[in-house]
Structure formats: C-alpha cells, structure tokens
C-alpha cells in the first residue's frame, strides 16, 4: 500500500505510493504469493522492510490500519518512510554485534542499538521528527569499523571497491577475500565460484549477479534481500545468519559447509 513501483523487469504494472496493490486481499494477504516470480512480480520477492511495517502498524499505531482508519493512512506511510531505514540500521548493528571479532566496537554498537530501538518505539511525532541522514551518519562509523575488523580476519588484504561500478564484471573465481564492496554496483556480475569470505557487503547491489558456487562465509552485512536479488545454487556457501533464497537452484551437491548454512 505505502510504496510505489513502476512497470519494469521487477513489476508488471505501475502502482503509485499510497494506493493498494491489485493483488492485495481483504485480509491483507497476497492473492498470488506463491506465483510472484513466474508472474513477473520479482520485486516483491526481494523486498524486506526488516519488520518496519509491523512496527508501524502494530506498535506505533497500536493495530490501526489504513482501511479501518483511512484518515491516518498518510501519516502512517510517512512514519514508515522513517521506520524502514531505522530498522535496516538495527539489522546491520545486530549483524556486527553477533561477531566476536568486532568486540572492540561492541560498546559503541550497543549504544547505537539502544538509541535506534528507543526511536523505533517512540510515538509518531518523534519518529517523524527524526533526521534519517543524521542517524546514518551517527551509526556508520561503528558499522564501518566493525566491517574493517571482519575484513582484517582475512589471510590476505582484500581490494577496496567501495562504491565501484562493477556491473557485469567478469569475476568468476576471483579471490575477493577481505574486500570492501560497500555500496558497489554488482548488477549482473559473474561471481561464480568467487571467494567472498570476510567481505563487507553493506549496500552492495547484487541484482542479477551470479553467485553460483561462491563462498560468502564470514562476510558481513549480507542481507536476505541482497541475495534474493542475485542468482545462486546449492553450492553457494552463505553467511550463517542468512537463509538460502527459496528460488535458487537446488541441483548439484552442496559442500558440507553449505549444507550446514542452508535453510
């Protein structure tokens, strides 16, 4: 309901923000959920609000919804626009805190988590008054330091491709251990059998990238959304906290490590 989308490879139709999707049922479920990808709704299958939608509807607005309280709809959608990046930052902070190698920055990360959690639980006026850019700027140094600590675990000094345009790059079998791929554009890149252990993947655009056989164990800030937008197979080795996308190919024999990190 809240977000817009345009007809493209990800969506078969246009939808303005604030209008319901034509597939939305009366119970707020999706009428074509099991057929989204074959019917051209790939964008839905790779979207993740990190729980921001539930927080806004169930906590901030105490269970109200845009159908039952149409006068509050625009306000709810405005709150969601702030809550979504707040929850995204919380997810990154949680990932960093879950790693013993980032212990030198745990205290700073815990302070960031407390501040973000307090904002997420605040009333609508407080959330709307928040400056998302300032929030990112405040948390980013700790996230960057945590990413560097993870990268330092690599036995080799990885390349720095922060913000690089690597769309369509031929990186099959590349040794990218300990690389910084923060914000890198990797749309359609060939990363088959690449070694991506201990990489910093925050904000990397992996749409259409081929991760078949790639090794992402130990990488930091990889999200389900990123991987769902890419292609992979049973041999792709994932970070322990990330589930294997359901639509990835399952043919072939996965290595023992991939079996342990699968769904």
């Amino acid at each position: 309901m809240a977000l817009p989308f345009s007809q493209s490879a990800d969506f078969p139709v246009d939808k303005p923000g604030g209008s319901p999707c034509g597939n939305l049922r009366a119970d707020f479920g999706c009428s074509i959920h099991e057929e989204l990808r074959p019917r051209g709704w790939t964008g839905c299958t790779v979207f993740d609000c990190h729980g921001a939608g539930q927080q806004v509807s169930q906590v901030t607005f105490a269970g109200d919804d845009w159908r039952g309280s149409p006068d509050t709809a625009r306000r709810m959608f405005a709150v969601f626009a702030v809550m979504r990046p707040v929850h995204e930052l919380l997810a990154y902070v949680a990932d960093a805190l879950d790693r013993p190698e980032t212990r030198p920055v745990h205290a700073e990360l815990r302070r960031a988590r407390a501040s973000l959690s307090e904002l997420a639980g605040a009333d609508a006026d407080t959330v709307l008054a928040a400056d998302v850019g300032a929030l990112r700027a405040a948390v980013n140094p700790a996230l960057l330091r945590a990413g560097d600590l993870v990268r330092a675990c690599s036995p080799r000094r990885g390349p720095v491709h922060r913000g690089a345009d690597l769309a369509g790059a031929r990186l099959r079998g590349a040794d990218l251990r300990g690389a910084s791929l923060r914000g890198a554009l990797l749309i359609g890149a060939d990363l088959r059998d690449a070694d991506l252990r201990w990489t910093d993947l925050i904000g990397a655009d992996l749409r259409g990238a081929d991760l078949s056989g790639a090794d992402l164990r130990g990488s930091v800030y990889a999200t389900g959304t990123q991987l769902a937008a890419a292609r992979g197979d049973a041999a792709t080795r994932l970070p322990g906290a990330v589930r294997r996308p359901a639509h990835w190919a399952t043919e072939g024999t996965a290595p023992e490590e991939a079996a342990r990190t699968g769904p």
Side-chain angles (χ1 to χ4, degrees):
M1 176 67 183
L3 298 175
F5 51 73
S6 301
Q7 186 174 4
S8 63
D10 293 324
F11 299 101
V13 297
D14 294 328
K15 187 191 85 66
S19 65
C21 174
N23 300 313
L24 186 65
R25 299 188 313 224
D27 65 355
F28 298 105
C30 174
S31 62
I32 61 167
H33 185 71
E34 302 302 324
E35 302 176 297
L36 286 168
R37 296 186 72 85
R39 294 180 66 165
W41 296 82
T42 305
C44 295
T45 68
V46 301
F47 175 75
D48 186 356
C49 70
H50 301 286
Q54 292 88 337
Q55 180 74 15
V56 171
S57 61
Q58 299 302 316
V59 179
T60 313
F61 288 89
D64 287 343
D65 63 73
W66 56 270
R67 282 178 176 150
S69 304
D71 292 341
T72 67
R74 184 172 298 179
R75 185 171 171 81
M76 291 178 72
F77 303 154
V79 171
F80 175 72
V82 178
M83 192 71 74
R84 183 183 172 195
V86 168
H87 273 238
E88 182 182 43
L89 287 170
L90 279 168
Y92 289 142
V93 168
D95 188 359
L97 277 171
D98 197 37
R99 298 167 184 271
E101 61 268 38
T102 64
R103 187 168 288 111
V105 75
H106 276 191
E108 189 175 349
L109 289 166
R110 282 193 291 267
R111 287 193 295 270
R113 181 177 60 185
S115 178
L116 291 167
S117 297
E118 181 179 4
L119 175 60
D123 59 61
D125 287 336
T126 301
V127 176
L128 288 172
D131 183 334
V132 173
L135 289 173
R136 291 188 189 278
V139 178
N140 190 60
L143 295 178
L144 180 60
R145 175 61 177 151
D148 288 344
L149 288 167
V150 171
R151 293 175 56 223
C153 294
S154 171
R156 70 181 295 270
R157 186 178 180 85
V160 176
H161 292 310
R162 185 173 183 178
D165 185 351
L166 298 172
R170 299 178 180 178
L171 296 168
R172 184 170 187 175
D175 187 350
L176 295 170
R177 288 176 295 169
S180 173
L181 295 173
R182 293 173 63 93
L185 190 67
L186 289 157
I187 297 174
D190 184 358
L191 289 163
R192 288 175 293 172
D193 304 315
D195 194 339
L196 294 159
R197 287 177 290 171
W198 305 292
T199 57
D200 183 338
L201 290 167
I202 195 167
D205 191 339
L206 294 170
R207 285 177 293 169
D210 194 342
L211 293 170
S212 300
D215 191 346
L216 290 88
R217 290 173 298 165
S219 61
V220 64
Y221 306 132
T223 68
T225 299
Q226 282 175 307
L227 298 184
R231 301 195 305 275
D233 61 12
T236 306
R237 303 177 184 184
L238 304 178
V242 181
R243 294 179 62 86
R244 190 175 303 276
H247 65 274
W248 278 12
T250 56
E251 293 81 8
T253 302
E256 181 182 353
E257 294 90 346
R260 289 200 299 266
T261 58

